Amino acid sequence: MTVRVAHANTSSRIGMAIVLAALAALIAAPWWADRASLRLLAEIYAYVGLASLWNLLAGYAGLVSVGQQAYVGLGAYVLFALAMLTGVHPFVAIPLAGVAAAVVAVPVAALMFRLRGHYFAIGTWVVAEVFRLLASQVSALDGGSGTSLPSSVILSIAASRQMREFTIYWIALAQVAVILAAIVLLLRSRYGLALTAIRDNELGARSNGIDVARIKYAVYVAVAFGTAMVGALIFLQKIRISPDTAFSVNDWTAFVIFITVIGGIGRVEGPIIGTVVFFLLRQTLADLGAIYLLILGVVAIAVMLRAPKGLWGLIADRLGWQVFPLERRLVIGGP
């Protein structure tokens, strides 16, 4: 008699079919969408990536960071420095930015993990502010006023503006697809089982022999790696960078937390649903100015009160749906 673990069920098979169909349609977007729509889609991909990584960090490992803008800005500045000062091609600089962020995250994590609870959250914000101040002192990148990529770097991406935008769009789509696939594969592995146990009951996970500290450390460094690559691509698309925009707590942490909370923290589908809701609200209410931010706050409070597990958590609990095959079910076969 054999025993195996099954991850898929009927809803996840349907969900994956929808995801693959949507992916095929999005790959072909340059042939059916205009330039503004492509830039909006690339921005959506960036937020799905950032929110999914923050969800892995806070929703599974229990590390609530309010300083993820540190790695967005670090990745962006590494890309600009490599491309402008050393002549590295921007597409090569993106993974190098991730590696640089992972290297920096190793000692930062060792320092941050000495802090507990809300002190950890405050510490991550302080680290991000230190990074911002350091970036403002880099005179080679015009310090606090920021700088723009020279035309030679921009032309190295592609000869025409249209092909450049198409290329960046496809890389943004590939980047978020890889991030989601990596998270799903991680959660299906035995390390993912340990992360799920930590998410559900950290004390119980530790009592069952899981090395909680080592797993959290690895997740922190891996999330820094992915966040920096997303940040590098965001500012490659923007072409211009400054310390205030690269290390913006509002853009790269507050909105990411909002997306994850309303979508469903601790669930892979949550950041995707949350990003869709966030952009619908932003596109509809952006003309209202500061009132738009107040409405976002009211929406977040309402969701937290009525659906503490987020919108996808509410749906999944009531209907038993899951898009990604992450269920663990023992299947007993024959001899």
Side-chain angles (χ1 to χ4, degrees):
M1 183 177 67
T2 59
V3 178
R4 63 182 178 85
V5 177
H7 295 283
N9 58 22
T10 302
S11 66
S12 67
R13 292 189 186 95
I14 295 172
M16 286 307 299
I18 295 173
V19 168
L20 293 175
L23 182 61
L26 293 173
I27 290 173
W31 287 280
W32 55 261
D34 58 24
R35 181 175 296 168
S37 299
L38 289 180
R39 293 183 69 87
L40 178 63
L41 284 171
E43 190 180 2
I44 290 172
Y45 302 153
Y47 271 99
V48 170
L50 291 175
S52 297
L53 290 166
W54 190 84
N55 183 44
L56 184 66
L57 188 69
Y60 286 91
L63 297 169
V64 180
S65 167
V66 295
Q68 285 310 96
Q69 70 273 19
Y71 297 107
V72 173
L74 178 61
Y77 264 93
V78 170
L79 180 137
F80 271 63
L82 290 174
M84 293 176 63
L85 306 180
T86 68
V88 174
H89 193 281
F91 294 158
V92 178
I94 292 174
L96 292 179
V99 172
V103 171
V104 171
V106 170
V108 170
L111 177 63
M112 289 297 100
F113 283 18
R114 293 175 178 271
L115 306 174
R116 293 288 180 269
H118 51 278
Y119 290 109
F120 174 85
I122 295 171
T124 58
W125 176 77
V126 171
V127 168
E129 283 299 293
V130 170
F131 283 12
R132 185 180 67 82
L133 293 173
L134 290 174
S136 68
Q137 302 303 313
V138 181
S139 57
L141 297 175
D142 289 345
S145 60
T147 187
S148 300
L149 285 174
S151 58
S152 59
V153 175
I154 297 171
L155 290 174
S156 70
I157 299 173
S160 68
R161 179 176 178 179
Q162 184 184 52
M163 185 51 64
R164 187 165 58 248
E165 293 188 347
F166 286 3
T167 305
I168 291 177
Y169 168 83
W170 280 320
I171 292 177
L173 178 59
Q175 192 177 62
V176 71
V178 169
I179 288 173
L180 290 173
I183 290 174
V184 169
L185 290 175
L186 171 66
L187 294 177
R188 285 167 61 111
S189 70
R190 64 190 183 97
Y191 295 104
L193 183 61
L195 265 177
T196 305
I198 293 171
R199 177 196 65 180
D200 295 340
N201 189 329
E202 183 174 330
L203 183 60
R206 187 176 285 112
S207 66
N208 279 287
I210 296 174
D211 190 342
V212 174
R214 185 170 64 87
I215 290 177
K216 285 187 174 186
Y217 200 100
V219 168
Y220 184 90
V221 174
V223 168
F225 173 81
T227 301
M229 287 205 299
V230 175
L233 186 59
I234 289 172
F235 282 88
L236 177 61
Q237 186 179 31
K238 291 179 179 292
I239 297 176
R240 180 167 176 78
I241 193 171
S242 71
D244 289 341
T245 56
F247 296 94
S248 169
V249 63
N250 212 34
D251 290 339
W252 313 126
T253 296
F255 288 158
V256 166
I257 294 174
F258 172 84
I259 286 169
T260 309
V261 168
I262 64 170
I265 192 168
R267 296 175 185 270
V268 178
E269 298 87 348
I272 302 172
I273 302 297
T275 303
V276 172
V277 173
F278 170 71
F279 274 86
L280 285 174
L281 290 172
R282 198 188 76 169
Q283 295 301 103
T284 307
L285 306 173
D287 293 338
L288 299 179
I291 296 177
Y292 149 69
L293 295 175
L294 292 175
I295 293 175
L296 288 186
V298 171
V299 170
I301 292 171
V303 170
M304 284 188 283
L305 289 175
R306 302 297 300 176
K309 295 181 180 179
L311 297 176
W312 182 255
L314 186 67
I315 295 170
D317 286 349
R318 289 191 177 183
L319 304 176
W321 289 355
Q322 62 171 0
V323 174
F324 299 101
L326 293 171
E327 185 181 71
R328 281 187 168 84
R329 187 178 71 257
L330 286 179
V331 177
I332 301 174

